[in-house]
Amino acid sequence: MINLYYAYQPIIDFFLLSVGFGYSQQIALRAGVFSIATAGFAAIGAYAVAILVTKTGFPIVGAVVLGMVIAGGAGLVLSLPLARLRGAFQAIATLAFVQIVISLLLFAEDFTGGALGITGIPRVVNTGVLIFIVAFVMYVMWSIGRTGLGRIFDALRQEESVAASLGVNIGRYHAFAFILSGAIGGLFGGLQSLYVFQIEPHNFGFAFMVNVLTVVILGGRTTLLGPIMGAAIMAILPELARPLAEYRPAVNGVILILVITFLPNGVGDEIVFWFRRRRHAAAAANRVKVKEAKNAVTSS
Amino acid sequence: MLSQQILNGLVTGSVYALFSLGFTLIFGVQKLLNFAHGATFMAGAFIAYYCTISGMPFLLAIGLSMVATGVIGIVVDLVAFRPLRKRGNAEFPALVSSIGVDLVLISIAQQVSKTQVLNFPFGTFPVKFFNFLGLRISLLQIVILATVAVLVVLLIFYLKKTSFGRQVRAVATNERAAALLGVNVQSVFLQTFFIAGALAGLAGVLIGLLFNSMQFLMGEPYMLRAFVVVVIGGLGSVPGAIVASLMLGVMQSLTVAYLPSGLTDAIIFTLLFIVLLIRPNGLFGDANAVAGGTRQ
Amino acid sequence: MPSLHLEGVSKHFGGLKAVDGITMAVPPGEITGLIGPNGAGKSTVVNLISGVLSLTHGDIRLGGASISTDRADIVARQGVSRTFQNIRLLPEATVLENVMIGFHRREQSGLMANLFGLRAALREQREFRDRAHALLERFGLDEYAEFEAGNLAYGHQRRVEMARAIASEPAIVLLDEPVAGMNDVESDELATIFRELANSGMGLLLIEHNVGFVTRLCKQVYVLDSGRMIAAGDPHEVTRDPKVVAAYIGTSKH
């Protein structure tokens, strides 16, 4: 058992980090924001922590919290100009945001080490820490789902005009979604810094963006299970498809096309929906039975 | 020195135009972002390269590569876009599935090239320089400018003067109305994808020649620049894309020459951001298209 | 409860005067009718009141305060609620959730309470859930509570939309063709509900194509044709007005 854990530990840790970034991506999509800014938020969190810890001797926990706050703040700042944009334009604007972050990281060599990045970050994050923090984020996502906030996000995604007609301030809730996406992305960016020892700007480029998007598309955009399923598939797939290892991007690409075409809600969401429908069908059948019984009593 | 930089910028910008035209054309008719456009561009360079080193005459290699990338464009439409369009509200799903195609193409190119940087064999294109008015211009640069100019004129002629062009513009304005008027929308889509793919492929070959270096990820920065171009020029606007491409090419060449290295990207993407905020329809787009009398 | 006043309200789309200087009132505790042939501009009026479209001229006041430049969500928060002519539900959400979002205006719990699932937020949600069930029962929909709204029959979808619109107990409700496509039994059931709502003090604006339904329910009826108000007053008198008859017959010829 212990040996098994050590053998698979990197995969488990990779899975946990992916789940975290997945939630950052998911909360934006759930609120109907076509944001692909998670890579930028993760970069901000990762560099904030790396710089604070290696260059200023800031306490590690404080650095992670500060990184999260800065990335959340970046989400807020980003949401303000984006309030007027929708769809493709939102996607492009968030993509531009990621490019700006990366090019500034490359440019500000004195702080960021330029293309070489920052090395010598203390490796203090382990599987336990990751599990604890993923669990905390899941609790928050679960809370959002069972309070009014989640319902408003769902409404904004499905039909913005309805939300507005019921008094929902669209800009404000899109800003919440961006702040949450930023904070969660920044938090896990910081954890990644403290896990991998060394970070560089290109860790957060196009490939990162595609991976995070894949996690949520595969898993699902609305349920708690979504990013977990997506990240699990992404973590296990390379193990299962070893002969195709060289063509891994192609395999990911084909999966993306197949899932978005034939299982547009994602594997995790579909599973949850299936159970939900079954439960409702059972409840409906039960109601019919109760009604028939009542009718039988009254007619006799 | 300044005019030399501007000249070089115009040459790069003209290739951007070739690349971005297809991208903006697809957005114009489908309102969808094709993220596989960068990989199509890379495929153009790769196919021309492998045809050339297998002994094919260079012009034939270019022609073949354009046909092949045109076909790739059609495949993108059939595989990634058409099934989603049927379902409606394809904006986000299409972005995802075109990323999927992008990954497949990149992965194949990576394996074919064994992750190596490829160069066209020496002499594929004659290396010749001319001097006039103190400017140094290569034969290749002249050929690129001329090719792009001719193709742009042809494309505009095609869109404005032929019946196909009228159909494309009808679909771009109102897909449903166009279909009711008897326009075969699917065939318009396929044709625009073929043209877009072929232009991207040619852009790939020209960039491969210009910098004499090609690798499987070469499409990515051009893809990102296409976003800048189409936003500044107005998503879907052909003249906007041309002007914005040339502007971007010149701006980039000037920032590289006169500003600290590494700031170029930050500047052009900040510019994109600002344009999106001030004029989401681009500097040359229709400013009224967004508002329509709604309360903000 | 405040009343709603439109004064000289116009909406021009380019050269087209979709709504041309209309004046009308929706008092509390009454059902007011707005009728007119197709294309008369009725739905434009709803969109103008609810803050979706901006006015070209005129003023809209709610209990004395102008709402004519307020954004849609701000209009809604002041107590003006609406349904849509082309039904708009959240298709993936359940019927119950569709109604529960209607309570948004009444939500008290803050962001933190939502993020950390604090008791106050959960208690509020339970209360909304109970009230949503009660509303569904009133509209005869409770057995569909857990259905995905998008799968419901057309008439049921309309009623879900109405339940959602009145959930937060707004002062004014704009009902855009609420009985379109319903049979007599169904529209009678709705008529009863509308009367109850008016009796509880709500002001209802009934936008209808169906003249008979409006005549039965409304105290005051306004008639719109090509964006202009051609008649207003007691429904029985108005429907006998030759101008109104001409407007209806005139359009049915086309």
Side-chain angles (χ1 to χ4, degrees), chain C residues 123-191:
Chain C
R123 199 187 304 123
E124 193 175 56
Q125 288 305 311
R126 268 199 303 277
E127 188 201 316
F128 289 159
R129 185 175 301 270
D130 293 343
R131 284 165 65 184
H133 272 299
L135 268 172
L136 286 175
E137 199 129 4
R138 187 167 178 189
F139 280 90
L141 289 168
D142 205 35
E143 59 184 303
Y144 302 107
E146 304 297 340
F147 278 50
E148 265 172 44
N151 296 339
L152 244 52
Y154 180 81
H156 289 153
Q157 291 201 7
R158 275 228 174 280
R159 279 186 270 168
V160 174
E161 213 191 18
M162 281 179 244
R164 183 179 70 193
I166 63 164
S168 68
E169 290 165 11
I172 303 287
V173 189
L174 315 171
L175 298 162
D176 202 346
E177 307 212 359
V179 293
M182 290 194 184
N183 63 33
D184 288 349
V185 181
E186 289 173 321
S187 28
D188 281 347
E189 285 169 10
L190 284 178

Side-chain angles (χ1 to χ4, degrees), chain A residues 17 27 45-46 55 65 75 78 83 87 94 103 109 114 128 157 182 185 223 227 261 283:
Chain A
L17 285 168
I27 196 74
K55 308 217 160 143
V65 172
L78 188 61
T94 53
S103 46
E109 273 180 46
R157 184 184 71 252
T223 66
T261 309

Side-chain angles (χ1 to χ4, degrees), chain A residues 222-245:
Chain A
T222 59
T223 66
L224 206 54
L225 186 63
I228 294 184
M229 283 302 292
I233 296 171
M234 290 289 281
I236 296 166
L237 197 70
E239 302 300 307
L240 296 180
R242 283 244 166 113
L244 289 172

